[in-house]
Amino acid sequence: QQPVQSPQAVILREGEDAVINCSSSKALYSVHWYRQKHGEAPVFLMILLKGGEQKGHEKISASFNEKKQQSSLYLTASQLSYSGTYFCGSPAGGGADGLTFGKGTHLIIQP
Amino acid sequence: KAGVTQTPRYLIKTRGQQVTLSCSPISGHRSVSWYQQTPGQGLQFLFEYFSETQRNKGNFPGRFSGRQFSNSRSEMNVSTLELGDSALYLCASSLAGPGGNTIYFGEGSWLTVV
């Protein structure tokens, strides 16, 4: 089943913070986060493999609560380059490496 | 290291025709997965191949098929094209080792069905 992302869209001013949530009705064994800019391929941000794991680089970080079957992506002091659509994905199952993605969160950063 | 390469990048087909899209994974990657992306449905999983075997398939009709070769390169085919098949088709590759694997996407093939 497809993860559910919220919010669907966010408009921020440069320098503001944002949180994007991803939840699932089925067990999440890993969560993958991607960002896609218009007309481009999704770009890998990070993968969280264990419940409670937190990761981050620069001003983008994420947490994974396995028990609650949810993950959150945190964007701190957002920059114009953070604009795009953010997707969370979870394994499609069957031991395969494919992912089932949420519908995405559109993030617009204004100067 | 070269990334995931997809060909062709753009193509226009007529309803009822068939199309074959090609994907070359990152060197050393053994898993290839395919996705369809449309404005209405978002990014949807089509199927995943590992060692020439399909390990999982998304909820798509049988008109959508794929295969993987011994060198890990993959192709997907869509037969009897419909207008609704117009989409960006993305290929992704990963190492397919134990544990969660980072999946890297190609630039995609833009298919327009007229």
Side-chain angles (χ1 to χ4, degrees):
Chain A
Q1 285 185 340
Q2 188 176 38
V4 177
Q5 288 184 235
S6 63
Q8 286 186 309
V10 185
I11 301 175
L12 298 175
R13 292 284 183 193
E14 200 174 3
E16 293 182 335
D17 301 340
V19 179
I20 300 171
N21 299 303
C22 174
S23 63
S24 175
S25 59
K26 68 170 189 177
L28 286 174
Y29 298 105
S30 64
V31 178
H32 306 234
W33 286 97
Y34 289 81
R35 176 174 61 212
Q36 185 179 31
K37 293 184 180 287
H38 185 68
E40 299 179 8
V43 173
F44 171 76
L45 292 176
M46 63 190 76
I47 178 175
L48 298 107
L49 300 177
K50 300 176 188 175
E53 184 175 30
Q54 295 189 10
K55 278 192 176 179
H57 61 89
E58 297 184 348
K59 296 176 182 175
I60 300 176
S61 61
S63 63
F64 178 25
N65 188 320
E66 192 175 9
K67 283 187 179 178
K68 292 185 178 180
Q69 297 171 183
Q70 59 186 221
S71 175
S72 295
L73 186 72
Y74 307 93
L75 297 99
T76 306
S78 56
Q79 306 168 12
L80 294 176
S81 61
Y82 287 0
S83 292
T85 302
Y86 289 78
F87 293 96
C88 69
S90 62
D97 270 20
L99 296 174
T100 301
F101 286 94
K103 287 195 176 291
T105 296
H106 302 282
L107 177 64
I108 298 172
I109 309 295
Q110 296 177 335
Chain B
K1 207 183 225 185
V4 179
T5 305
Q6 291 188 245
T7 56
R9 289 294 318 279
Y10 305 91
L11 66 166
I12 301 174
K13 290 286 188 178
T14 304
R15 251 184 323 177
Q17 287 186 315
Q18 73 166 12
V19 65
T20 299
L21 308 176
S22 180
C23 173
S24 293
I26 292 171
S27 177
H29 283 194
R30 301 166 66 193
S31 167
V32 173
S33 48
W34 288 89
Y35 304 83
Q36 181 196 64
Q37 188 171 31
T38 60
Q41 298 300 319
L43 194 53
Q44 292 186 286
F45 171 69
L46 278 159
F47 28 65
E48 188 260 7
Y49 286 88
F50 173 74
S51 290
E52 303 178 63
T53 300
Q54 186 183 92
R55 294 197 294 185
N56 202 352
K57 189 179 192 305
N59 189 24
F60 278 84
R63 300 185 297 107
F64 291 82
S65 63
R67 59 177 176 167
Q68 186 181 33
F69 302 96
S70 58
N71 61 359
S72 294
R73 194 176 66 83
S74 177
E75 289 181 347
M76 69 160 282
N77 183 276
V78 187
S79 62
T80 319
L81 283 166
E82 302 176 359
L83 295 178
D85 297 332
S86 295
L88 174 64
Y89 289 88
L90 291 160
C91 168
S93 76
S94 59
L95 279 170
N101 298 290
T102 300
I103 294 169
Y104 298 94
F105 283 88
E107 294 291 319
S109 293
W110 290 91
L111 170 65
T112 301
V113 182
V114 297

